[in-house]
């Protein structure tokens, strides 16, 4: 590559030294290293003289060479590929073909931007822009794919190859990227020392130069190995490695002495040749001296005492070496030898021997016999019992070995003796008051013994004050160990064995029940499943999660009970399947409210009840009858009640009757009577009669058939519309009763078969009554009297003859009925009932229901007057409004009533009078009830719900006076029969509210507690947990002072509730305060670098520590004077334990931190981190414009902040106009980007 122009992070000094030869784009000036800004002349030195400019080979004079490195986030480099080195030389396809494809591919791979142009000499110029890393990768790709490649080899010593590769190959990769070449180094097992370089000529030369530089640098270093007897290594290293460190520091040579555990004698020296020679000479000298002067003595020391001579981390040996200059050699741990060798100068051996024996005898080992099951009681919860001993004698080490019946004590003799006495006393006490038992239970039952969330085992532990150890599942062990008070152990053992025995007899059964029935079986709020569980208390019933869409219901318990429960539930499901038939009736949504009624009044009218009747199961089939005929007849006769028999084969005698209470009672009597007959003597006979005769035989309201039943005692069943055989009539009962009823019915049927024709006279004025509404009256007569045909003369003829044709009895009965109707018509009168128009709507009732009821009950016709549009003010006296009967005054008032108030009643006189009384009884009456005004809003209720409920319940209107009236009078308007109930209900509600008021007053008792504000957060607890528990437990409200209110006492806590409860809550708070006052706070110095690790993700780790040790730990906030100060608060013993724990954690985490920091020294900071450093701008001193008075001058401070203050300028060239005398030649503009200043 012939020409490279680097327009980036490289400094001007680097450019001037030959690494760059063309234009330089100034980006941003880093002035962090100097405290004072440069002068104008230093920053903008004058250009060299004209003659100097022509000497291109020389460096330009002046201060230009002093310009410091300049950083940029986006860089541009220009590469030139000469014609002879181009891979693709087709001039006709420039910008197309393979070359263009390669450039696009490079841009996609690296993220850099490429621009290609042809020079006059047909060389290829490529401008690459982007991040430094992207540009370097793109450069490498360009060299490899757009330039012809050459190769060369360079030979360097084999041992230098690893320095060319570098750690993890990083140096080699960097070298390849920098020189845009491919460097191949022979494998370690290859004897060749030739390194192959592939790339452009220029790149090869650069790479070759760099490799030779690395090799030359390594040539200056040397490595030497010195063989020194292992026993003399301690003398060369010196106590605590002080001597060898001193030699390394003085000579700059690295000396590697193998550790005592490694059986090597070679000491390796690495460094510059001259300095290395000095270090080797010094080590040799020490070695020779010690070899001549030292002698050895061997002493016997018990093997168990060797570790005390060695000391922690070999400190005791180093201490002896430092004090006496004598090396102590200890035999390895796997050796049985007890001989210790002391090596040193003769006069110092005696002192060293004394030290060795002192160290050996300073500690003693003792043991205490204690059953292994007692160990954890001796240790105590969280080591509390043991901590008491170790705190008194910290140098004593106490060791518990699992499975062994002894405790080992190790430490200073006196301390060990004291600790031994204490532990022996503890063991003796525990043996006297503790016992244990072991039971064997199949491990598959262990989780059932433990129970859900440990419920069973925790209950046994708490109840009998014992400890129960159940082995984990992975051990597959059957042995359960119980430890504790002897009596408790025996009781717990007994209960666990009983449980186990019960479980061995247990079985699990899966019952398939469609999921749609699960909710029905469970029942509302679990009522039905509770009943089943009470019935089968030993069976555990588990329903699947609704989300799992499973049909499997699991039963577990004793085998017999599970079977019984299974049958019971299967029967229940069968009943559900049978009774779960449903039919959908489409009703428009707007009519739903009419069906429900006001406040559910219509729905509530369905007073449904359910009763169970016991009838022997052997009678069920005969009671039901063929295809359910018998039972259906009872259900229809009794108002459509539902009678449910148990499934066949279940053995149950229970029959359920469901429906309106009155009908249910009627059906129950009939069913029991029928069952009684069936049990005594049952006889059945079938008769046939035309379906049109059935109604006549039954009679009006069942009168005829009831008469037969009463006379004979037999039961007669007629076919329903669903039966196929519509002629079949069944008679049931005793033989005598059935025969008698059969005889009567056969006579009736025979008479009905004898058809006759008869006539009667009916005044024509009454004909219309019979034939209007499409002959409805005649149809009713035909249905009721065996299908008799009644013919009236045609309209227009003046005949009064009416013809009747049918069975003789039916014709006679029909004639009688027509005569009754005529008598009613002739006796019909019309009366008037004057009731004020304002009450008419109320009398009619919803959709005229009340008036229809009166019409049906009294057989009259009622006509209301047309409504007057603008009625005049009512003139009737108050007694009339309330529907009360007055005296003579009332008669006078009614003498001239308004037309719009008169209701006309037509019918028999006596019935008209009765209907008139019924109408007047429907006139609303108003009464007044006195209710304290302050209770009115409670009676009304939220959004009127309370008063609406009362109005719906008592079917009255209740009027509460407006608040501004301050009146105590509430008016109730409604039917007289409902008013008394409504008044009683209202007064009862008043009593309830008054009682609530009294209770509220008692509940408003206030108690003030004085508590230091520093304890408030602890009383409140994390997320209010503590204070919420106190509030809930004592049913009180607790108010803390507002921190922002200066007028409020900050140490006053207000408790509101019942007096007794407030006092209990106060005691609970003061108990917490008492505990808090006992607490201490200790500051511990904890390196701030490990705070984050100790706190953990979202504080999880520190919360665990605080919960475990029952302490509060506070870390310093950012900007605190002492960032290492951590405060631990709690009970003294807990605080000490917590401090020990976090100090151990600090030691562990700090090692990682130190390692990471050591690694960071060798790691290059990322470009992102570099870019984060705040820019201090570009500042110059002694600028000429400081003294020039002109409007357009260059701002002395060019910083990122200044540019950001001018929106719209980012990324655009900004021209600064200099004062004329200071215009620099060839300097046209300064281009400012978001992170660079370029010229």
């Amino acid at each position: 590559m012939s020409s490279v122009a680097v327009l980036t992070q490289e400094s001007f000094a680097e450019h001037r030294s030959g690494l760059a030869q063309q234009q330089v784009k100034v980006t941003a000036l880093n002035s962090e290293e100097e405290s004072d800004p440069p002068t104008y002349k230093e920053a903008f030195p004058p250009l060299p003289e004209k003659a100097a400019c022509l000497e291109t080979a020389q460096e330009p004079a002046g201060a230009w060479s002093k310009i410091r490195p300049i950083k940029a986030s986006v860089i541009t480099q220009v590469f030139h590929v000469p014609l002879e080195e181009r891979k693709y030389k087709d001039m006709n396809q420039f910008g197309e073909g393979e070359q263009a494809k390669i450039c696009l591919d490079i841009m996609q791979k690296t993220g850099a931007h490429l621009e290609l142009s042809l020079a006059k000499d047909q060389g290829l110029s490529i401008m690459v822009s982007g991040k430094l890393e992207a540009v370097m990768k793109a450069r490498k790709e360009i060299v490899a794919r757009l330039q012809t490649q050459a190769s060369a080899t360079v030979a360097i010593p084999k041992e230098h190859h690893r320095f060319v590769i570098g750690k993890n190959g990083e140096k080699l990769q960097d070298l390849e990227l920098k020189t845009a070449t491919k460097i191949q180094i022979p494998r370690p097992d290859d004897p060749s020392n030739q390194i192959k370089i592939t790339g452009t000529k220029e790149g090869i030369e650069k790479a070759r130069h760099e490799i030779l530089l690395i090799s030359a640098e390594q040539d200056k270093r040397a490595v030497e190995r010195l063989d020194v007897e292992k026993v003399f290594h301690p003398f060369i290293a010196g106590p605590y490695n002080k001597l060898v460190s001193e030699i390394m520091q003085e000579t700059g040579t690295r000396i590697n002495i193998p550790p005592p555990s490694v059986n090597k004698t070679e000491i390796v020296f690495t460094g510059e040749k001259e300095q290395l020679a000095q270090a080797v000479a010094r080590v040799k000298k020490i070695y020779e001296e010690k070899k001549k002067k030292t002698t050895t003595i061997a002493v016997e020391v018990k093997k168990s005492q060797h570790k005390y001579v060695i000391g922690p981390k070999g400190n005791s040996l180093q201490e002896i070496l430092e004090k006496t200059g004598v090396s102590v050699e200890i035999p390895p741990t796997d050796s049985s030898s007890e001989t210790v060798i002391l090596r040193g100068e003769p006069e110092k051996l005696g002192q060293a021997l004394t030290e060795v024996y002192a160290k050996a005898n300073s500690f003693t080992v003792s043991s205490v016999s204690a059953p292994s099951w007692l160990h954890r009681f001796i240790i105590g919860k969280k080591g509390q019992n043991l901590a008491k001993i170790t705190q008194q004698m910290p140098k004593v080490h106490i060791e518990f070995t699992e499975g062994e019946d002894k405790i080992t004590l190790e430490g200073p003799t006196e301390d060990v003796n004291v600790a031994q006495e204490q532990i022996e006393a503890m063991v003796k006490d525990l043996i006297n008051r503790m016992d244990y038992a072991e039971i064997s239970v199949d491990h598959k039952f262990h989780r059932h013994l433990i129970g859900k969330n440990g419920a069973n085992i925790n209950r046994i532990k708490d109840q009998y004050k014992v400890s129960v150890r159940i082995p984990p599942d992975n051990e597959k062990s059957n042995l359960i160990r119980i430890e504790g008070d002897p009596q408790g152990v025996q009781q717990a053992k007994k209960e666990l064995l009983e449980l186990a025995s019960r479980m061995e007899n247990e079985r699990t059964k899966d019952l398939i029940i469609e999921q749609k029935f699960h909710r029905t079986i469970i029942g509302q709020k679990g009522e039905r499943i509770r009943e089943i569980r009470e019935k089968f208390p030993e069976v555990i019933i588990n329903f699947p999660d609704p989300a799992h869409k499973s049909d499997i219901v699991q039963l577990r318990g004793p085998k017999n009970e599970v079977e019984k429960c299974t049958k019971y539930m299967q029967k229940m499901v069968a009943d559900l399947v049978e009774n779960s038939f449903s039919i959908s009736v489409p009703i428009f949504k707007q009519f739903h409210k009419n069906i429900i009624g006001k406040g559910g009044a219509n729905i509530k009218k369905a007073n449904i009840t359910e009763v169970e009747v016991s009838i022997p199961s052997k009678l069920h089939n005969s009671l039901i009858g063929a295809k359910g005929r018998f039972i259906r007849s009872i259900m229809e006769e009794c108002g459509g009640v539902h009678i449910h028999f148990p499934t066949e084969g279940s053995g149950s005698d229970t029959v359920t009757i469901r429906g309106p209470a009155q009908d249910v009672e009627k059906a129950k009597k009939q069913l029991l009577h029928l069952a009684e007959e069936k049990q005594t003597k049952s006889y059945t006979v079938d008769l046939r009669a035309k379906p049109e005769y059935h109604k006549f035989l039954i009679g009006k309201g069942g009168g005829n058939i009831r008469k037969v039943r009463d006379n004979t005692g037999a039961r007669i069943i007629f076919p329903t519309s669903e039966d196929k055989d519509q002629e079949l009539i069944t008679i049931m009962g005793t033989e005598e009763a059935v025969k008698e009823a059969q005889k009567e019915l056969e006579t009736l049927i025979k008479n009905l078969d004898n058809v006759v024709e008869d006539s009667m006279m009916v005044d024509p004025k009454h004909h219309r009554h019979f034939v209007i509404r499409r002959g409805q009256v005649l149809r009713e007569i035909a249905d009721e009297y065996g299908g008799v045909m009644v013919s009236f003369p045609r309209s227009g003829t003046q005949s009064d003859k009416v013809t009747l044709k049918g069975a003789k009895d039916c014709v006679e009965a029909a004639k009688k009925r027509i005569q009754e109707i005529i008598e009613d018509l002739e006796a019909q009168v019309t009366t008037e009932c004057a009731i004020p128009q304002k009450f008419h709507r109320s009398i009619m009732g919803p959709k005229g229901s009340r008036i229809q009821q009166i019409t049906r009950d009294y057989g009259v016709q009622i006509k209301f007057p047309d409504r007057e549009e603008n009625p005049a003010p009512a003139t009737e006296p108050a007694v009339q409004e309330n529907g009360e009967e007055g005296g003579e005054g009332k008669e006078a008032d009614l003498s001239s009533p308004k037309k719009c108030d008169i209701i006309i009643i037509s019918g028999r006189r006596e019935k008209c009078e009765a209907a008139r009384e019924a109408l007047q009884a429907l006139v609303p009456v108003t009464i007044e009830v006195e209710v304290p005004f302050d209770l009115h809003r409670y009676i009304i209720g939220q959004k009127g719900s309370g008063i609406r409920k009362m109005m719906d319940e008592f079917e009255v209107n209740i009027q509460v006076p407006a608040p501004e009236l301050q009146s105590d009078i509430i008016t109730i308007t409604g039917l007289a029969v409902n008013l008394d109930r409504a008044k009683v209900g209202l007064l009862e509600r008043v009593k309830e509210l008054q009682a609530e008021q009294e209770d509220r007053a008692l509940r408003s008792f206030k108690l003030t507690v004085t508590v230091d504000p520093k304890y408030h957060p602890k009383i409140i607890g994390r997320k209010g947990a503590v204070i919420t528990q106190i509030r809930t437990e004592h049913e009180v409200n607790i108010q803390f002072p507002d921190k922002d209110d200066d007028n409020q006492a900050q140490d006053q806590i207000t408790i509101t509730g019942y007096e007794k409860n407030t006092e209990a809550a106060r005691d609970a708070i003061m108990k917490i305060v008492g505990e808090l006052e006992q607490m201490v706070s200790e500051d511990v110095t904890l390196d701030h670098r490990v705070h984050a690790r100790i706190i953990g993700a979202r504080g999880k780790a520190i919360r665990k520590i605080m919960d475990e040790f029952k302490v509060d730990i506070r870390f310093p906030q950012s900007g605190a004077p002492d960032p290492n100060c951590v405060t631990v608060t709690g009970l003294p013993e807990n605080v000490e334990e917590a401090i020990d724990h976090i100090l151990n954690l600090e030691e562990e985490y700090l090692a990682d931190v130190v390692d990471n920091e050591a690694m960071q020294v060798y790691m290059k900071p990322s470009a992102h981190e570099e870019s984060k450093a705040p820019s201090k701008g570009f500042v110059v001193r002694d600028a000429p414009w400081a003294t020039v008075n002109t409007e357009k001058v260059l701002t002395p401070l060019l910083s990122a902040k200044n540019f950001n203050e001018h929106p719209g300028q980012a990324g655009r060239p900004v021209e600064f106009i200099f004062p004329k005398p200071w215009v620099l030649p060839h300097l046209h503009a300064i281009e400012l980007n978001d992170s660079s200043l370029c010229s």
Side-chain angles (χ1 to χ4, degrees), residues 239-259:
Y240 303 103
N241 289 327
K242 286 179 184 176
L243 185 56
V244 76
S245 300
E246 187 184 318
I247 296 169
M248 286 196 290
Q249 195 173 355
E250 287 177 6
T251 62
T253 304
R254 189 161 173 236
I255 304 171
N256 184 15
I257 299 174

Side-chain angles (χ1 to χ4, degrees), residues 335-346:
S335 167
S336 60
S337 172
E338 294 188 342
T339 304
V340 175
I341 297 169
L342 280 67
R343 188 181 302 274
E345 294 175 16

Side-chain angles (χ1 to χ4, degrees), residues 685-687 739 741-753:
V685 168
D686 290 338
L687 286 176
K739 283 182 178 178
Q742 183 184 6
K743 188 178 178 183
E744 282 192 34
L745 282 173
E746 282 174 343
T747 306
L748 284 169
I749 293 166
K750 190 176 179 182
N751 291 338
L752 290 172
D753 287 335

Side-chain angles (χ1 to χ4, degrees), residues 814-850:
K815 277 174 74 176
K816 189 179 177 183
R817 175 66 186 137
I818 291 168
Q819 198 60 46
E820 285 175 3
I821 293 169
I822 292 166
E823 286 174 11
D824 283 348
L825 291 171
E826 287 176 346
Q828 196 172 64
V829 296
T830 299
T831 60
E832 294 179 349
C833 178
I835 294 172
Q837 189 184 33
K838 65 180 180 180
F839 297 128
H840 288 187
R841 185 186 293 273
S842 172
I843 290 167
M844 287 179 186
K847 296 188 179 180
S849 58
R850 288 176 181 166

Side-chain angles (χ1 to χ4, degrees), residues 880-891:
Q880 178 61 32
E881 281 186 16
N882 289 341
E884 296 169 1
E885 293 185 6
E888 293 175 1
K890 184 180 175 185
E891 295 296 327

Side-chain angles (χ1 to χ4, degrees), residues 389-427:
I389 298 170
T390 53
Q391 282 171 5
Q392 293 173 11
M393 290 149 285
K395 291 183 181 178
V396 175
H397 173 69
I398 303 170
E399 188 177 337
F400 294 84
T401 308
E402 192 174 348
E404 288 188 12
D405 293 339
K406 68 172 184 176
I407 302 166
T408 307
L409 287 77
E410 190 178 311
T413 310
E414 290 181 9
D415 289 356
V416 165
N417 293 337
V418 174
Q420 185 175 347
E421 287 175 9
Q422 291 185 10
I423 291 172
E424 283 174 348
M426 204 183 291
V427 169

Side-chain angles (χ1 to χ4, degrees), residues 615-624 645 675-676 678-679:
I615 295 172
S617 57
K618 64 184 180 182
L619 299 176
H620 289 183
N621 284 341
S622 58
L623 288 176
I624 293 167
F645 283 84
E676 193 178 340
K678 287 276 183 188
Q679 272 184 309

Side-chain angles (χ1 to χ4, degrees), residues 162 221-225 268-271 273 276:
R162 63 191 182 93
R221 297 180 67 78
V223 177
E224 188 169 337
R225 289 176 169 79
V268 182
F269 299 81
T270 311
K273 289 181 180 177
L276 183 142

